[in-house]
């Protein structure tokens, strides 16, 4: 069964850090570009970060650039998102997702999604 | 405010067809092939319905059709079913500093 299983969310104080994980099963994560997308409560989707299949091409959204780091360990079939200096506006459900196309072709289209993990920034 | 503009809501009766528009600019929809559409039911992860403007992923019904004219992309759903009731988001690659932009979402009600 092709799936992405996420972990690492929770309630975090402002200014603290958090690392989210996204483990693939049923497919080889290492041949797909991967994405992080978030959704604030009652709001729409917001692209956070993308990383190419080999980690050589990384990009971040304007609202998080400088505070987040996306990385991957293809040997562990796992994607990560490190979020630092958390702010109230980072409160959201974070989704990881795999590109629809394998290898170097980034379609910027997300075909396999994780279940989402909730991050709440609160003192 | 979202980079791409979608209507807040649309509705249709079972069996009818509806079209959802997504308006961008020459910096996104008008210039790039990477236009996608997602369906999201409450409390669930989004589901990819259309990518590369018109392509359907394996397993997506051919009742869903995407197309583009200028800076506006559209999603047409034909033969509406109750299960189509959801929120639909468009996205596009962009030449802005944020490489991927989304629309604000359109709530589809099947009457």
């Amino acid at each position: 069964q092709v799936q992405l299983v996420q972990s690492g969310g929770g309630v975090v104080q402002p200014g603290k850090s958090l690392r989210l994980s996204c483990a693939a099963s049923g497919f080889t994560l290492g041949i797909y570009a991967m994405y992080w997308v978030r959704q604030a409560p009652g709001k729409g989707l917001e692209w956070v970060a993308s990383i190419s299949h080999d980690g050589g091409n990384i990009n971040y959204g304007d609202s998080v650039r400088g505070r987040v780091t996306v990385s991957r360990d293809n040997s562990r079939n796992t994607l990560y998102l490190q979020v630092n200096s958390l702010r109230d506006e980072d409160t959201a459900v974070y989704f990881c997702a795999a590109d629809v196309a394998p290898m170097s072709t980034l379609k910027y289209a997300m075909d396999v999604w994780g279940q989402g993990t909730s991050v709440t920034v609160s003192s | 405010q979202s980079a791409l503009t979608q209507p807040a809501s649309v509705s249709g009766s079972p069996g009818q067809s509806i079209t959802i528009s997504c308006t961008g600019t020459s910096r996104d929809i008008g210039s790039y092939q990477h236009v996608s559409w997602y369906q999201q039911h409450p409390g669930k992860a989004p589901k990819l319905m259309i990518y590369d403007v018109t392509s359907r992923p394996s397993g997506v019904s051919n009742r869903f059709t995407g197309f583009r004219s200028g800076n506006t992309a559209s999603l047409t759903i034909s033969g509406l079913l109750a299960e189509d009731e959801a929120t639909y988001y468009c996205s596009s690659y962009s030449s802005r500093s944020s490489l991927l932009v989304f629309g604000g979402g359109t709530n589809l009600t099947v009457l």
Side-chain angles (χ1 to χ4, degrees):
Chain A
Q1 182 183 3
V2 172
Q3 62 179 351
L4 293 169
V5 179
Q6 297 182 229
S7 59
V11 180
V12 187
Q13 293 179 329
K16 299 293 188 182
S17 299
L18 192 68
R19 190 175 84 155
L20 306 180
S21 299
C22 171
S25 65
F27 72 103
T28 303
L29 184 141
I31 65 171
Y32 290 93
M34 297 293 296
Y35 305 88
W36 287 98
V37 172
R38 69 183 182 182
Q39 188 169 34
K43 302 297 183 181
L45 302 174
E46 179 187 15
W47 170 69
V48 173
S50 61
I51 182 169
S52 59
H53 74 286
D54 59 0
N57 186 4
I58 293 173
N59 290 285
Y60 299 105
D62 287 342
S63 62
V64 299
R65 190 176 296 116
R67 297 190 299 116
V68 307
T69 302
V70 60
S71 61
R72 62 193 302 159
D73 185 342
N74 289 340
S75 67
R76 296 178 181 271
N77 239 19
T78 303
L79 174 75
Y80 304 99
L81 185 72
Q82 175 78 27
V83 187
N84 300 322
S85 303
L86 279 156
R87 307 167 177 170
D88 290 348
E89 55 265 37
D90 294 320
T91 293
V93 174
Y94 287 71
F95 294 99
C96 62
D99 199 287
V100 68
M103 299 309 286
S104 61
T105 307
L106 272 79
K107 294 286 187 181
Y108 290 92
M110 290 152 264
D111 192 23
V112 179
W113 290 71
Q115 83 277 16
T117 188
S118 178
V119 173
T120 301
V121 182
S122 174
S123 55
Chain B
Q1 187 168 351
S2 304
L4 305 178
T5 301
Q6 299 180 233
S9 62
V10 298
S11 63
S13 299
Q16 288 186 333
S17 295
I18 62 95
T19 296
I20 301 171
S21 63
C22 173
T23 302
T25 71
S26 59
R27 299 187 68 180
D28 38 66
I29 291 175
S31 294
Y32 298 100
Q33 191 68 4
H34 301 318
V35 178
S36 301
W37 288 90
Y38 299 88
Q39 176 193 67
Q40 187 180 34
H41 289 106
K44 301 294 186 182
K47 175 184 178 182
L48 180 66
M49 307 304 286
I50 296 288
Y51 68 99
D52 282 357
V53 182
T54 61
S55 298
R56 271 187 306 272
S58 174
V60 171
S61 170
N62 59 10
R63 297 185 300 106
F64 293 84
T65 303
F67 60 95
R68 173 179 59 188
S69 178
N71 296 334
T72 298
S74 299
L75 173 71
T76 294
I77 308 173
S78 59
L80 273 177
L81 301 173
E83 67 203 49
D84 298 331
E85 187 163 292
T87 301
Y88 291 82
Y89 294 93
C90 60
S91 72
S92 174
Y93 181 83
S94 171
S95 61
R96 298 182 182 84
S97 54
S98 268
L99 296 184
L100 186 62
V101 291
F102 283 94
T106 298
N107 291 318
L108 168 62
T109 301
V110 180
L111 302 170

